[in-house]
Amino acid sequence: ELKVEQNPLFLSMQEGKNYTIYCNYSTTSDRLYWYRQDPGKSLESLFVLLSNGAVKQEGRLMASLDTKARLSTLHITAAVHDLSATYFCAVAGYALNFGKGTSLLVTP
Amino acid sequence: EADIYQTPRYLVIGTGKKITLECSQTMGHDKMYWYQQDPGMELHLIHYSYGVNSTEKGDLSSESTVSRIRTEHFPLTLESARPSHTSQYLCASELDTPNTGELFFGEGSRLTVL
């Protein structure tokens, strides 16, 4: 069974700071996805990582994938309040398997 | 932007009622999924379909059933709702570009069973 673990599960950070969210998974996969969810809303696709060493950047967010270590990271640079949300990583098996999500709160 | 629609968005019903949550997509995607998500929690796969007349149960045991008679339509039915079914149900379809596997989600149906 494919297990996906994210940490931290809760993150409170000040505006302007940097931080990294980690996503580990248990079995081989070369496809990993990051999603954002705002309270009461559905999931919005952020990044699709399809190969070892893949790196994608959008604004203050950068995601990377190391398939050998079964690890993906989501790095936040100079956080702003608008980034407050829950971030999920998901790993491809016969369907997407999701982590528990990281609830991010960016404070002034 | 993906065109995938769920109705109703919110539903409050009594125990024992039969309900159907509708999901439609206009992109012609073959693969569709239903996930269940409790507030602030992870998503659990309850059903999926790889095309017309194809349906499978997911990892999370569910008393719901699904059907896939048309490509664009993937409804989920609870024959007799119970309070334990209270949750958010998210429908998704999969982008068919070569092997990306990216899912696009509907807005969700938030179900409360009294």
Side-chain angles (χ1 to χ4, degrees):
Chain A
E1 181 187 345
L2 175 55
K3 293 189 185 300
V4 182
E5 291 189 0
Q6 285 182 241
N7 70 83
L9 297 183
F10 299 96
L11 176 57
S12 179
M13 58 190 297
Q14 285 185 311
E15 283 187 328
K17 299 291 188 184
N18 304 332
Y19 207 84
T20 300
I21 299 169
Y22 296 89
C23 175
N24 291 91
Y25 54 99
S26 61
T27 62
T28 301
S29 177
D30 59 0
R31 290 183 285 148
L32 189 139
Y33 309 82
W34 284 95
Y35 286 86
R36 170 182 171 144
Q37 186 177 38
D38 291 297
K41 301 288 189 181
S42 189
L43 277 76
E44 172 192 356
S45 179
L46 292 176
F47 298 109
V48 178
L49 302 170
L50 298 177
S51 61
N52 186 41
V55 178
K56 296 267 183 86
Q57 182 161 7
E58 180 73 33
R60 300 173 188 275
L61 300 178
M62 183 172 71
S64 66
L65 177 62
D66 181 343
T67 59
K68 291 184 171 61
R70 298 177 188 164
L71 170 69
S72 179
T73 61
L74 180 66
H75 187 73
I76 303 158
T77 301
V80 294
H81 179 70
D82 286 352
L83 290 180
S84 297
T86 298
Y87 293 86
F88 290 92
C89 67
V91 179
Y94 63 86
L96 288 194
N97 293 267
F98 284 80
K100 291 183 184 294
T102 296
S103 181
L104 171 65
L105 176 63
V106 181
T107 58
Chain B
E1 188 168 317
D3 295 321
I4 180 164
Y5 307 100
Q6 290 186 241
T7 57
R9 294 286 314 280
Y10 303 92
L11 180 63
V12 180
I13 61 169
T15 297
K17 299 291 187 184
K18 177 180 178 178
I19 62 156
T20 295
L21 305 180
E22 303 287 349
C23 177
S24 296
Q25 49 97 3
T26 59
M27 299 161 287
H29 291 173
D30 285 326
K31 296 179 181 178
M32 296 187 73
Y33 306 82
W34 277 102
Y35 285 86
Q36 184 175 340
Q37 183 187 30
D38 292 327
M41 301 294 286
E42 68 211 276
L43 282 74
H44 293 285
L45 180 69
I46 51 175
H47 296 284
Y48 61 100
S49 168
Y50 284 172
V52 171
N53 294 325
S54 152
T55 61
E56 300 287 345
K57 288 187 181 292
D59 301 323
L60 182 67
S61 175
S62 173
E63 293 162 342
S64 58
T65 59
V66 292
S67 62
R68 190 86 183 278
I69 299 171
R70 303 198 318 264
T71 297
E72 62 271 23
H73 198 212
F74 190 38
L76 181 145
T77 298
L78 279 166
E79 290 292 334
S80 179
R82 295 208 298 270
S84 60
H85 296 139
T86 295
S87 190
Q88 172 158 256
Y89 295 84
L90 293 167
C91 179
S93 70
E94 183 171 328
L95 186 62
D96 288 338
T97 57
N99 208 34
T100 65
E102 185 178 7
L103 295 190
F104 291 92
F105 285 84
E107 290 292 314
S109 293
R110 191 173 296 276
L111 172 66
T112 301
V113 184
L114 303 176

